[in-house]
Amino acid sequence: MADTGFDAKDFRRALSQFPTGVTVITTLDAEGNPVGVTASSFNSVSIEPALVLWSIDKGAHSLEAFEKAEYFAVNVLGREQVATSNRFASRGEDKFKDVAYKSGLGNAPILDDYAAQFECKTWAVYEGGDHLILVGEVKGYRYNDATSPLVFARGSYAVSVQHPEMVKAPLMDEAGDFVGDYLLYLLRETYSRHSAKLYPKLQEQCDVNPEEWRIMVRLADKGNLSIADLSAMVMQPEVALRQTADWLVEKGYVAYADNATLTITEHGKEIGQKLQAIAHAEEAELLSALPEEQSRQLKDNLKALLEKMA
Ligand SMILES: Cc1cc2nc3c(=O)[nH]c(=O)nc-3n(C[C@H](O)[C@H](O)[C@H](O)COP(=O)(O)O)c2cc1C
């Protein structure tokens, strides 16, 4: 319990219900070395003057560099930049190794790949509890419409897709109707309708949210897995994965075999089986609309497509 009376982990969990984009904020330190940190606290502030803000943890290695920086750059990441996000969320190692970048305003590094980029002059630095709030005046910006932004919500990387309720296209293929016979649309509709039915059941019956479910199914299959392997499998950065894992540990579903490995408990195995049974039943209900042979073919065909794209 902190002084607030809040449980810090629970407070973080509540905050993580607010989805954000992901940025890598960069500058140069006093020695002229490039410095960068993954940040989801970025936000717009003002249009006239053009101001943006983000906040940095006072415990960050790069705190001093940003506190003193005259210029910094905000690189908003695109959906294909999960590895870049993970790289800049880590400590110690040379974060810029193998990352393509150029020198921008005030020599702050600007990444070659981005969804958007804002080159800023530090406008103000405010106290913000255990963080410092940095406000930048935007001196230049650019964006890349060819990529969609990387999203971060509930500790998981995500991509933004149109909300299914916004798409009022007819479901059936009608003559001349493009959307109703378009594979991407059909896949997405099937996914969103199915998951909207499944996830609440997992929550109600097993007290497991979608992020926890992804971890549970992997562990139920393998028994134990390293945090690093799981991180890639479930698309959670290690720091967030550990937070999700802590919830599962508290529920008694998983345990730490050592600091870097998670293992499923006996109780977790039972829950894992229950989760899989719920998912199978839901899948069977959906596929009962098709003859068995066609159901099998549907899955085999999707697998073949995924293999082709791997
Ligand atoms: C998706 C994501 C968002 C993050 N957002 C912030 C943030 O807004 N501010 C911050 O100080 N750290 C944030 N972090 C954590 C830092 O990236 C991490 O602590 C990093 O190690 C800091 O680097 P440094 O210690 O080399 O300065 C975030 C991490 C992730 C994975």
Side-chain angles (χ1 to χ4, degrees):
M1 287 278 176
D3 289 349
T4 51
F6 293 162
D7 171 54
K9 268 194 285 178
D10 199 55
F11 184 45
R12 277 204 197 94
R13 185 158 167 145
L15 292 171
S16 75
Q17 289 280 46
F18 182 64
T20 63
V22 183
T23 68
V24 167
I25 315 232
T26 53
T27 192
L28 286 189
D29 68 11
E31 285 80 48
N33 299 312
V35 171
V37 47
T38 300
S40 53
S41 52
F42 171 74
N43 221 320
S44 56
V45 176
S46 162
I47 302 294
E48 189 58 60
L51 300 177
V52 295
L53 68 72
W54 69 291
S55 58
I56 183 165
D57 192 325
K58 285 183 183 168
H61 282 161
S62 44
L63 177 74
E64 197 184 334
F66 281 109
E67 203 178 354
K68 294 189 173 154
E70 202 182 339
Y71 294 93
F72 64 86
V74 179
N75 301 272
V76 178
L77 301 187
R79 60 179 289 163
E80 52 293 288
Q81 290 181 283
V82 169
T84 307
S85 172
N86 286 338
R87 165 75 70 91
F88 284 91
S90 63
R91 299 197 144 190
E93 65 180 289
D94 179 7
K95 298 186 189 181
F96 285 85
K97 192 170 170 274
D98 306 324
V99 175
Y101 68 95
K102 299 180 189 58
S103 273
L105 193 65
N107 288 324
I110 50 172
L111 306 187
D112 282 8
D113 293 328
Y114 57 84
Q117 224 158 34
F118 301 93
E119 296 192 72
C120 303
K121 184 163 199 265
T122 304
W123 195 79
V125 180
Y126 297 109
E127 274 296 316
D130 53 18
H131 280 58
L132 281 186
I133 302 162
L134 291 124
V135 179
E137 182 175 12
V138 179
K139 295 291 192 182
Y141 72 91
R142 56 201 68 83
Y143 52 90
N144 174 11
D145 277 331
T147 186
S148 59
L150 182 60
V151 174
F152 194 62
R154 299 214 301 207
S156 280
Y157 293 114
V159 289
S160 73
V161 290
Q162 242 184 333
H163 195 286
E165 282 178 23
M166 300 301 292
V167 186
K168 295 290 180 204
L171 277 181
M172 292 300 166
D173 178 22
E174 289 169 8
D177 169 24
F178 172 76
V179 174
D181 191 41
Y182 183 51
L183 179 66
L184 216 55
Y185 170 79
L186 298 172
L187 290 173
R188 198 200 54 200
E189 276 303 296
T190 312
Y191 169 78
S192 39
R193 283 162 200 240
H194 186 61
S195 56
K197 279 181 78 187
L198 173 67
Y199 290 151
K201 288 193 176 157
L202 303 179
Q203 185 74 57
E204 276 156 32
Q205 295 178 38
C206 299
D207 190 20
V208 161
N209 74 16
E211 286 68 37
E212 294 167 332
W213 144 254
R214 283 181 209 122
I215 295 174
M216 289 295 290
V217 276
R218 299 293 181 160
L219 280 175
D221 268 356
K222 302 276 183 218
N224 56 52
L225 279 165
S226 73
I227 296 276
D229 285 347
L230 256 177
S231 166
M233 287 172 177
V234 303
M235 291 299 265
Q236 286 206 305
E238 288 192 26
V239 51
L241 175 58
R242 283 183 186 274
Q243 283 170 17
T244 315
D246 284 348
W247 292 105
L248 293 171
V249 170
E250 263 175 37
K251 290 174 198 169
Y253 296 174
V254 308
Y256 278 94
D258 57 49
N259 185 40
T261 317
L262 282 176
T263 182
I264 193 149
T265 63
E266 283 308 314
H267 183 38
K269 279 182 198 159
E270 285 166 27
I271 296 291
Q273 278 167 6
K274 197 169 165 191
L275 286 167
Q276 287 185 3
I278 298 168
H280 273 141
E282 205 57 43
E283 184 191 75
E285 151 86 20
L286 173 71
L287 292 175
S288 66
L290 302 175
E292 209 180 309
E293 178 59 24
Q294 281 187 28
S295 297
R296 187 67 262 158
Q297 262 177 19
L298 176 67
K299 285 192 191 181
D300 288 345
N301 288 341
L302 288 172
K303 281 185 203 169
L305 287 181
L306 285 171
E307 252 169 52
K308 191 171 147 58
M309 290 189 289

